[in-house]
Amino acid sequence: MSDQHERLEQAEEFLNQCYSELGKESEELLVRLNQVKDDIQQSGFYTHTYEELVHGARMAWRNSNRCIGRFFWETLKVVDARECSDEESMAIAIFDHIKKATNGGNIVPYLTAFHPAHEKGNIRIWNHQLIRYAGYVTEDGTMIGDPASVDFTKVCQELGWEGKGSSFDILPLVIQLGENPPALFPIPEDLILEVPLTHPTNPSFEALELKWYALPIISDMKLVIGGIEYTAAPFNGWYMGTEIGARNLADTERYNMLPRVAELFQLDTSREYTLWRDEALIELNKAVLFSFKQAGVSIVDHHTAAKQFERFEKREQDAGRNVTGKWSWLIPPISPATTHIFRKGYKDDRVYPNYFYQPAPYK
Ligand code: HEM
Ligand SMILES: N/C(=N/c1cccc(CO[C@@H]2CCNC2)c1)c1cccs1
């Protein structure tokens, strides 16, 4: 099937569902379908109205099989930055996104849509997340910072960026328009909200000098709506505590903090069966949730998130829509069997609109 014919089919499927969900008259839909058909026949593309862009981005979140946070899909705020035509104006839009989404700690889910892929080539944001810590391998092979960031940190250094070499250096924003060389922008420090980690009952925890950033904002996925591909469409939510406490700070190939936490709580690490790893995990996750709450920064524990997801499932059923999901991602990494998700099956069907991985623009 030709590219144009395929895009027209995808456009028609999206517009039919979108206009039906928005309760629009069939007359309005027919006019729109004819206009889109002409546009695609003329140029191979069509341009979403702002309303279609907003609802399409929300539908894509609703269809994200690996996301436990979908209860809030209808609240996503969307900024239309499709007019941005140079790296500077994109950087300004991105800084504005960070500021509005952070909202002093009361995090608001936002998506900023830049111009979709077209003949002038793609726009790519090279960062995986807009706010993330650098990772360095020293001469003697020891790790500083986030090991998951080592490759991207090297790329930033090759582009002229110099980090301070601390465990928590915020990486710069890297934007590439089409075939232009990538443009690098340090993120203004006053835009970055971070939470120092303390423990509710163990005052010695702060000696670990751990912290994490408040705003998780994914910037390397592609938003596809009705055959139109938004290759730069950063979106943020708030964290689920386990992401920080059970993975980012706990994984041996990340900050690998469990042995240090065990030491602080004087756990018996001589044998696995003392479950010292599990006890350290719980203490670390309690510290993350306690610290974010203390700092007035939005976060959700995995039990509450699972309950919200259950309400999402019920509401989708009532709306006559099937809930698709990827079980292995939806269950939380600690105490998964304490959630209803563990006992359910989900079909990992691909439903459009949706968010997709795209090849790394550097390597
Ligand atoms: C509002 C609070 C939100 C929470 C607590 C939340 C929670 C999560 C968690 C825990 C994951 C798994 C991440 C991992 O295991 O590394 C995830 C995945 C995902 N979420 Fe959400 N989410 C939220 C909002 C959003 C929003 C606003 C969007 C998009 C508009 C979104 C789209 C996705 C996608 C596409 C994935 C899969 C990512 C991948 O395949 O790597 N989520 N979410
Ligand atoms: N809480 C979140 N968590 C994530 C959501 C999507 C992706 C990720 C990071 O995924 C990486 C790839 C696989 N695990 C780490 C984390 C959100 C980020 C942006 C909106 S909500």
Side-chain angles (χ1 to χ4, degrees), residues 61 66-67 128-129 132 215-218 221 235-240 243 247-248 254 329 357:
W61 181 7
R66 298 168 170 188
C67 182
H128 162 60
Q129 291 186 34
R132 218 181 187 204
L215 193 73
I217 173 162
I218 296 294
M221 292 184 86
F235 59 83
N236 77 277
W238 50 79
Y239 265 116
M240 180 161 83
E243 299 180 78
R247 302 304 311 274
N248 301 347
R254 298 294 296 279
W329 277 63
Y357 290 156

Side-chain angles (χ1 to χ4, degrees), residues 65-79:
N65 289 351
R66 298 168 170 188
C67 182
I68 193 172
R70 290 179 271 173
F71 176 71
F72 297 96
W73 71 272
E74 283 176 300
T75 68
L76 181 70
K77 290 185 180 305
V78 175
V79 171

Side-chain angles (χ1 to χ4, degrees), residues 3-11 40 44-46 226-228:
D3 221 8
Q4 289 208 357
H5 187 72
E6 200 168 316
R7 181 163 290 121
L8 180 56
E9 281 216 338
Q10 291 157 344
I40 291 177
F45 289 89
Y46 69 103
I228 301 295

Side-chain angles (χ1 to χ4, degrees), residues 300-312:
V300 65
D301 65 85
H302 48 296
H303 305 289
T304 303
K307 288 197 179 97
Q308 292 166 340
F309 186 68
E310 192 168 30
R311 292 176 60 198
F312 167 72

